Amino acid sequence: MTHTTGRVRSSDVDIFYRTFGRPGGTPILIVHGLSYFSYDWIEAGTLMAKDREVVAIDMRGFGESSWSQTRDYKLETLSNDVIAVMDHLGWDKAVLMGHSFGGRVCLATAGWKPTRVAGLILVDFAPDIAAPGRKYTAQRIGGQPDVFASVDEAMTYDHDDPSDAKRRARWEAFLTKTDKGYALKRDLHYRDNFRRALETGQSSPVPTFLWPMLSEMAIPTLVIRGSMSNMFEAATLGKVRQMNPRATAIEIEGSHDLAGDNPNGLATAVREFLATSGL
């Protein structure tokens, strides 16, 4: 799972990225979800990079990317960061692959900047978010403390097993030691937004333009649902097919965290889709 890393300036932040593979087919750019970062895509990224370059970024405010001092995390800004990475890499076009919230970023980017996107892959994301998953995410992120006393505490908070060496290495990469404890490498802006939503009972609505964007998408599009997902209802897969018959909508075994649960199945589905699409 050897890969290289780099950084690129985008507006007021530095975006960190991991590069897998070498030039070949149309490159893939991966955008993670709100509870994840590029580290979570190392295995799946390696498997998908057998015949092309694959780059996984840390969104601004996450992982090794810097935080916006003005808390500029608007969808438009996140989309511009994607293009900044592509420009830095010299990619005229790429397949955008987004997981969960990263799917929102990739879908919006494909809609706003169609000349830069050759294909779109949405991993356990559709514009309709299942209520149980929305509630669970709001409670978990909104209840996050400023710091954790230990790596074990952070893992236990997220219902992870502290004795699992692989998962522990992941958490050690997503935490930074401070004089007050272990801080998550995610801007507290996200925690604070969910906390306000929990306090007021009013969460930020999913942008209404996402379904029209998806329905009008003419480039090769793959929408993947995890069979045990709490964020993507099974019935929504049918809605995707109805809204855009050109899109490929499938289900593979796994939870919302498909890159962690089933990297081989995910990579196989993506590689088959790219081959069929001529990408």
Side-chain angles (χ1 to χ4, degrees), residues 7-270:
R7 295 179 181 275
V8 57
R9 190 71 181 173
S10 180
S11 182
D12 59 332
V13 302
D14 289 326
I15 301 295
F16 173 86
Y17 62 88
R18 304 174 191 269
T19 303
F20 310 88
R22 59 185 62 184
T26 307
I28 302 172
L29 190 145
I30 301 171
V31 185
H32 60 82
L34 290 179
S35 296
Y36 307 88
F37 65 134
S38 64
Y39 182 98
D40 294 304
W41 285 87
I42 292 175
E43 188 169 0
T46 301
L47 291 169
M48 291 186 291
K50 293 180 180 180
D51 58 352
R52 69 192 66 233
E53 281 185 295
V54 176
V55 165
I57 70 169
D58 283 345
M59 286 192 292
R60 58 172 54 216
F62 286 80
E64 304 306 317
S65 290
S66 55
W67 297 10
S68 171
Q69 294 303 306
T70 60
R71 288 193 162 189
D72 180 7
Y73 297 107
K74 297 188 297 293
L75 188 57
E76 294 83 355
T77 304
L78 298 171
S79 173
N80 289 337
D81 291 340
V82 168
I83 299 301
V85 174
M86 289 178 57
D87 287 344
H88 173 72
L89 296 169
W91 294 355
D92 292 332
K93 285 192 173 187
V95 174
L96 298 188
M97 181 173 179
H99 172 232
S100 195
F101 182 79
R104 184 185 300 192
V105 175
C106 290
L107 174 56
T109 303
W112 288 331
K113 305 172 178 72
T115 61
R116 302 301 303 273
V117 186
L120 177 66
I121 302 172
L122 304 179
V123 181
D124 213 58
F125 171 79
D128 288 349
I129 302 173
R134 180 188 287 271
K135 180 179 180 181
Y136 176 76
T137 300
Q139 290 176 339
R140 189 176 80 255
I141 297 180
Q144 173 200 327
D146 287 356
V147 295
F148 297 96
S150 64
V151 176
D152 283 16
E153 183 178 277
M155 295 182 70
T156 301
Y157 177 83
D158 209 53
H159 307 294
D160 231 335
D161 180 5
S163 67
D164 186 324
K166 183 177 179 180
R167 294 297 297 170
R168 188 176 192 85
R170 183 264 182 192
W171 278 97
E172 288 174 347
F174 202 18
L175 293 165
T176 184
K177 184 74 167 66
T178 73
D179 55 357
K180 296 181 180 179
Y182 290 84
L184 198 62
K185 293 179 182 178
R186 178 176 62 204
D187 195 331
L188 291 175
H189 158 83
Y190 292 97
R191 189 277 309 271
D192 295 344
N193 277 355
F194 279 111
R195 183 167 290 181
R196 281 192 295 271
L198 292 170
E199 291 171 350
T200 63
Q202 297 181 338
S203 59
S204 300
V206 177
T208 57
F209 57 77
L210 291 179
W211 270 119
M213 273 187 176
L214 183 54
S215 67
E216 295 165 6
M217 201 61 57
I219 58 173
T221 299
L222 173 65
V223 181
I224 304 172
R225 176 184 184 265
S227 61
M228 297 176 287
S229 175
N230 65 345
M231 298 287 286
F232 192 141
E233 292 181 344
T236 305
L237 210 55
K239 183 175 179 179
V240 170
R241 297 186 184 109
Q242 181 181 23
M243 295 290 286
N244 188 340
R246 298 179 300 274
T248 301
I250 65 173
E251 181 177 276
I252 66 174
E253 184 178 354
S255 71
H256 180 59
D257 180 18
L258 284 171
D261 285 351
N262 191 3
N264 283 288
L266 178 59
T268 297
V270 169

